[in-house]
Amino acid sequence: MRRILLFVAGIIVGGLGIAIWSHWPLSGTHAHLETATGGVAKAETEDHGTERIALSDEQIRDAGITLAPVAGGTLKRHFLAPGSLIPDADHIGRVSVRVLATVAELRKRLGDNVEKGEIVAVIESREVADAKSQYLAARLTNDLQQTLYNKQKTLVESRAMSENEFLRAQLNANDARIKLDGARQKLFALGLSESEIADLPNQPPENLREQYLRAPISGRVSERRVDLGGLIGREGQESELFVIVNLDDIWVDLAVSPEDIAAVREDGLVTIRAIGSDDEAVARVIFVSPLLDRETRNARVIATLPNRDHRWRPGTFVTAEVPLGGEPSKVIVSKKALQTVKGSATVFVRNADGFEARQVRTGREDDDDIEIVNGLAPGETIAVANTFTLKAELEKAEAEHGHD
């Protein structure tokens, strides 16, 4: 009888042990996250479905999880517009002539840097020689007539000559001065400077046919259109020798669709990105065309881009990010803070023990941030970096709970 009682007792104790082992742990599902310090994080699912992750401040720091307060703001919404880089029209200079001439000397080559006023070429022209000769003759005549006028002015004051003779001398002096001014203006029109005109009486006669051509702006020679000894100049039109471009500033020529053109404002800023590279810069809109192109039905927009290091080159295809105005939102978070858990958008809200995985409803978004319509309030603190670590912890806890 005693053996029977001991056998029954052993069966009862063994059954209780199996039951206790099969229902461990009793407090819920646990998962483990090894941090850089060897600490352990615990994820729990409460009866009402709220998922929490127990994590100390030290574990949060070692896991590289960044925290930030929830706040409102305005999304940086934008649209993209294609375009290309072109030289700034205000920084293009052309070295040209209006006379029939021969190229006697070219002092600059393609790609050379030039300064404003620097001599870039020398031409020889009969028209230039004639204009200089006329000026020198008019200068001599004027000097003579002015001298005669001054002498006769003294004579008429002493009544040594008639008033009519004095008036005739005055007329001749005025006529000589007018002809001299006309000859000087002709030289200015040909491109001679004030100092060159003043130095003409000191020049040898064989140099009268020469004319120095100077750079109108500082920059770099981008085109050379003549050869040494070539004949240049045609009646009524200019003939260009060089094209000089200053690339310290450059234009961005954009094509904007009619649907988006209303959002573009002059003096507004746009972000320029080169196609096929990581180059990026900010340009300022200086012109929005009131007309649409007949063929493309797009509006032309010009933005100016600083280019002091000359890394942007004309002809480069670019994309412009044009910002759009938007209504402010009460809650905006970084997209990095958002994770998809069980098919729902989830953020991790900091609490006293660690984090609470909270499902939220999202709204509008831009490249970096997203609007939270429901589920999150301003002032709460959330994880904004390395949130994938917290998501992995929840998934691990869920897997272990399923096995149990």
Side-chain angles (χ1 to χ4, degrees):
M1 185 65 179
R2 184 177 182 182
R3 291 180 179 179
I4 295 173
L5 292 174
L6 291 174
F7 177 75
V8 173
I11 293 174
I12 294 173
V13 172
L16 290 174
I18 293 172
I20 294 173
W21 179 263
S22 63
H23 289 83
W24 184 265
L26 299 176
S27 59
T29 301
H30 293 262
H32 300 279
L33 171 65
E34 296 297 333
T35 64
T37 60
V40 178
K42 181 187 294 183
E44 298 180 352
T45 303
E46 299 182 352
D47 294 338
H48 51 76
T50 302
E51 296 178 299
R52 301 179 185 275
I53 303 174
L55 214 60
S56 66
D57 291 339
E58 183 179 359
Q59 289 173 316
I60 293 174
R61 182 176 61 256
D62 293 337
I65 299 173
T66 304
L67 305 177
V70 176
T74 302
L75 293 172
K76 300 176 182 178
R77 301 176 62 231
H78 63 268
F79 69 89
L80 301 179
S84 61
L85 301 182
I86 60 176
D88 187 336
D90 296 330
H91 293 82
I92 299 177
R94 304 179 187 275
V95 181
S96 59
V97 295
R98 286 186 174 271
V99 297
L100 188 63
T102 302
V103 179
E105 187 177 349
L106 294 173
R107 297 191 178 182
K108 292 296 178 179
R109 297 180 297 178
L110 194 65
D112 286 351
N113 293 318
V114 298
E115 297 295 330
K116 182 178 180 180
E118 184 179 359
I119 297 175
V120 296
V122 181
I123 62 172
E124 294 181 349
S125 171
R126 185 176 64 182
E127 294 181 49
V128 172
D130 290 343
K132 290 180 179 179
S133 299
Q134 291 175 8
Y135 168 77
L136 292 175
R139 186 172 181 272
L140 290 175
T141 301
N142 178 70
D143 290 344
L144 177 60
Q145 291 297 334
Q146 297 303 324
T147 300
L148 292 175
Y149 169 73
N150 291 330
K151 288 184 177 181
Q152 292 180 354
K153 184 178 180 180
T154 303
L155 292 175
V156 75
E157 290 175 353
S158 62
R159 300 185 182 277
M161 65 175 301
S162 65
E163 186 175 354
N164 289 337
E165 291 178 339
F166 171 73
L167 292 176
R168 190 179 298 109
Q170 186 180 33
L171 178 62
N172 291 336
N174 291 338
D175 183 63
R177 185 171 61 253
I178 292 173
K179 289 182 179 180
L180 176 62
D181 291 339
R184 181 186 290 108
Q185 292 303 319
K186 187 175 182 179
L187 293 178
F188 282 140
L190 291 176
L192 274 71
S193 64
E194 182 71 40
S195 60
E196 289 176 324
I197 295 175
D199 192 53
L200 283 179
N202 304 321
Q203 296 294 320
E206 59 270 17
N207 289 347
L208 292 180
R209 65 179 182 272
E210 294 182 350
Q211 180 182 356
Y212 297 108
L213 303 182
R214 301 177 182 274
I217 63 171
S218 298
R220 192 176 184 189
V221 177
S222 62
E223 295 182 46
R224 195 191 84 172
R225 300 183 175 180
V226 296
D227 298 320
L228 193 63
L231 187 65
I232 58 173
R234 295 293 183 270
E235 184 178 358
Q237 53 183 265
E238 295 180 348
S239 292
E240 296 179 358
L241 283 75
F242 295 103
V243 176
I244 301 172
V245 177
N246 188 327
L247 297 179
D248 289 346
D249 293 285
I250 200 169
W251 277 2
V252 186
D253 192 352
L254 302 173
V256 180
S257 65
E259 295 79 10
D260 296 325
I261 192 62
V264 183
R265 296 286 184 271
E266 292 184 359
D267 282 336
L269 300 179
V270 297
T271 301
I272 306 299
R273 294 184 177 89
I275 296 178
S277 71
D278 296 330
D279 288 344
E280 180 179 314
V282 176
R284 181 175 59 86
V285 176
I286 60 173
F287 171 72
V288 178
S289 176
L291 307 176
L292 298 181
D293 186 90
R294 291 183 178 181
E295 297 181 359
T296 64
R297 309 307 300 170
N298 291 328
R300 189 186 189 200
V301 174
I302 300 295
T304 181
L305 176 65
N307 189 36
R308 301 298 178 183
D309 55 0
H310 295 181
R311 67 187 179 98
W312 296 94
R313 296 179 179 273
T316 302
F317 290 105
V318 298
T319 299
E321 182 180 294
V322 184
L324 292 171
E327 297 180 358
S329 301
K330 293 182 179 179
V331 177
I332 291 179
V333 301
S334 170
K335 287 184 176 180
K336 296 179 181 179
L338 219 59
Q339 294 290 339
T340 301
V341 178
K342 297 180 181 179
S344 301
T346 302
V347 296
F348 297 92
V349 182
R350 185 77 166 97
N351 58 22
D353 299 325
F355 292 95
E356 171 193 338
R358 187 183 300 174
Q359 294 182 358
V360 295
R361 185 159 60 92
T362 60
R364 300 169 299 170
E365 62 181 272
D366 59 19
D367 289 342
D368 302 316
D369 301 322
I370 189 167
E371 178 186 35
I372 303 300
V373 178
N374 189 20
L376 198 61
E380 293 186 287
T381 300
I382 62 172
V384 295
N386 284 338
T387 54
F388 62 88
T389 304
L390 301 174
K391 176 184 176 181
E393 175 63 18
L394 288 179
E395 292 176 344
K396 184 178 179 182
E398 181 66 22
E400 292 182 359
H401 180 69
H403 290 155
D404 293 341

